[in-house]
């Protein structure tokens, strides 16, 4: 199994509700990808329980993309604004939440998050990381070293993320140990970010928690995507092939994968071989 999936279970625990991960008497914060639900996010502004918000690309090299910037929102737990924002995270998985161990300034929390959107990559360049996306953020928290994990959590305290299933994951608060290292994309982290959408789709399609996904399923799904079978409805039809008991594809399936056919024709051939 990819190491980052294993570490989800090591670094976090399942909780049934977002609120169960936090202290009820203090503010909580959400990072929302407002561009994916602009009307519903705009409707949050000014609702009872809404305290304040910042656009996270403001004042950074990403400022030209300000209209697409994720938001950092401060809310009162249990309020109308909290309930609406929680629904956005759970139903559309466009954000995640956290609660510092002690009162914190919104600006300070934003500054911490802003340094995570553009990281040095292992190819000598820089890569944009969609920190606001729970899929990517989960991979970042799980794939990094213990030191990197502590740096990512930093002042955020307790972090709670949605999952592909109805439950949530509450991540353990972390204290920095040893010398801080410059945050960057390692090969492992880069690979986890590439694998994470595949893992989330499989988790939802098979009702299997991320950390319990058999590694063979991810490998087979990757093989299908590599030959051009990427649409969800095609992959759904081939789910029995992805989740088969045999370790390897049969020879007829291998031939079907290599066939010079459009994706929909390949799906028909492979489906007949299940």
């Amino acid at each position: 199994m990819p190491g980052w999936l294993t570490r989800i279970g090591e670094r976090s625990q399942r909780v049934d509700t977002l609120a169960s991960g936090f202290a009820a008497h203090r503010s909580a914060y959400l990072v929302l990808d407002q561009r994916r639900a602009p009307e519903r996010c705009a409707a949050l502004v000014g609702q009872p329980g809404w305290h304040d918000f910042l656009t996270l690309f403001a004042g950074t090299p990403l400022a030209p993309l300000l209209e697409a910037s994720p938001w950092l929102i401060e809310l009162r737990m249990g309020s109308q604004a909290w309930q609406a924002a929680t629904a956005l995270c759970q139903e559309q998985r466009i954000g995640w939440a956290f609660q510092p161990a002690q009162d914190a300034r919104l600006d300070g929390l934003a500054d911490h998050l802003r340094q995570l959107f553009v990281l040095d990559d292992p190819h000598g360049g820089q890569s944009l990381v969609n920190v606001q996306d729970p899929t990517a953020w989960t991979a970042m928290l799980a794939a990094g070293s213990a030191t990197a994990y502590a740096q990512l959590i930093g002042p955020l305290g307790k972090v709670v993320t949605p999952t592909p299933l109805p439950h949530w994951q509450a991540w353990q608060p972390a204290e920095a140990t040893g010398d801080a290292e410059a945050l960057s994309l390692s090969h492992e982290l880069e690979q986890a970010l590439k694998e994470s959408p595949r893992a989330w789709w499989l988790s939802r399609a098979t009702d299997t928690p991320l950390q319990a996904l058999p590694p063979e399923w991810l490998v087979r799904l990757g093989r299908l995507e590599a030959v051009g079978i990427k649409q969800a409805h095609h992959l759904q039809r081939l789910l029995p092939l992805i989740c088969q008991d045999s370790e390897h594809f049969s020879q007829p399936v291998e031939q079907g994968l290599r066939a010079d056919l459009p994706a929909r024709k390949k799906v028909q051939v492979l489906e007949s071989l299940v």
Side-chain angles (χ1 to χ4, degrees):
M1 177 185 293
W4 70 275
L5 288 175
T6 302
R7 285 194 290 273
I8 291 176
E10 297 171 356
R11 294 177 175 174
S12 66
Q13 61 182 4
R14 171 176 174 160
V15 291
D16 291 331
T17 66
L18 177 54
S20 64
F22 298 139
H25 62 284
R26 296 177 42 245
S27 292
Y29 300 82
L30 277 83
V31 177
L32 281 184
D33 188 1
Q34 58 81 27
R35 65 188 173 131
R36 289 172 51 195
E39 293 182 359
R40 289 185 67 182
C41 287
L44 293 172
V45 180
Q47 285 192 21
W50 172 279
H51 289 328
D52 202 356
F53 85 111
L54 291 173
T55 51
L56 287 171
F57 288 173
T60 76
L62 298 173
L65 305 175
L66 200 60
E67 289 187 2
S69 172
W71 290 356
L72 173 61
I73 303 173
E74 182 181 0
L75 302 169
R76 187 178 73 249
M77 291 275 296
S79 66
Q80 181 178 328
W82 168 262
Q83 298 297 337
T86 298
L88 277 170
C89 291
Q90 188 164 36
E91 295 167 10
Q92 297 186 243
R93 295 180 176 85
I94 63 169
W96 49 273
F98 66 93
Q99 187 179 60
Q102 54 191 4
D103 291 340
R105 292 174 54 252
L106 193 63
D107 285 343
L109 297 170
D111 287 342
H112 172 73
L113 292 166
R114 284 169 175 152
Q115 67 179 325
L116 306 179
F117 285 102
V118 178
L119 297 178
D120 292 339
D121 62 38
H123 313 290
Q126 290 187 315
S127 294
L128 176 65
V129 181
N130 292 320
V131 174
Q132 71 275 18
D133 182 350
T135 307
W137 182 237
T138 296
M140 290 183 71
L141 292 176
S145 66
T147 300
Y149 175 72
Q151 288 182 264
L152 287 169
I153 295 289
L156 305 182
K158 178 166 283 189
V159 172
V160 180
T161 55
T163 73
L165 304 180
H167 67 266
W168 304 74
Q169 291 294 127
W171 297 79
Q172 300 168 11
E175 294 184 4
T177 56
D179 296 332
E181 58 189 41
L183 282 168
S184 62
L185 288 182
S186 64
H187 285 285
E188 183 178 8
L189 179 49
E190 187 179 53
Q191 185 62 31
L193 288 169
K194 291 177 180 177
E195 291 174 344
S196 57
R198 192 181 305 153
W200 276 59
W201 184 85
L202 267 176
S203 173
R204 192 178 310 171
T206 63
D207 197 30
T208 305
L210 286 168
Q211 58 267 39
L213 287 172
E216 296 84 3
W217 293 5
L218 285 172
V219 171
R220 293 182 195 125
L221 178 55
R223 290 285 310 280
L224 295 177
E225 292 182 346
V227 298
I229 303 173
K230 300 179 180 180
Q231 295 188 35
H233 67 282
H234 285 161
L235 295 171
Q236 190 72 40
R237 287 166 56 185
L238 295 178
L239 203 55
L241 191 64
I242 295 169
C243 303
Q244 66 180 23
D245 291 332
S246 301
E247 183 177 353
H248 302 290
F249 284 141
S250 66
Q251 189 61 33
V253 169
E254 291 288 355
Q255 292 174 347
L257 290 171
R258 293 192 295 267
D260 186 15
L261 295 169
R264 61 183 181 83
K265 292 290 188 182
K266 256 182 197 177
V267 171
Q268 292 175 357
V269 171
L270 295 170
E271 196 174 21
S272 70
L273 298 173
V274 175

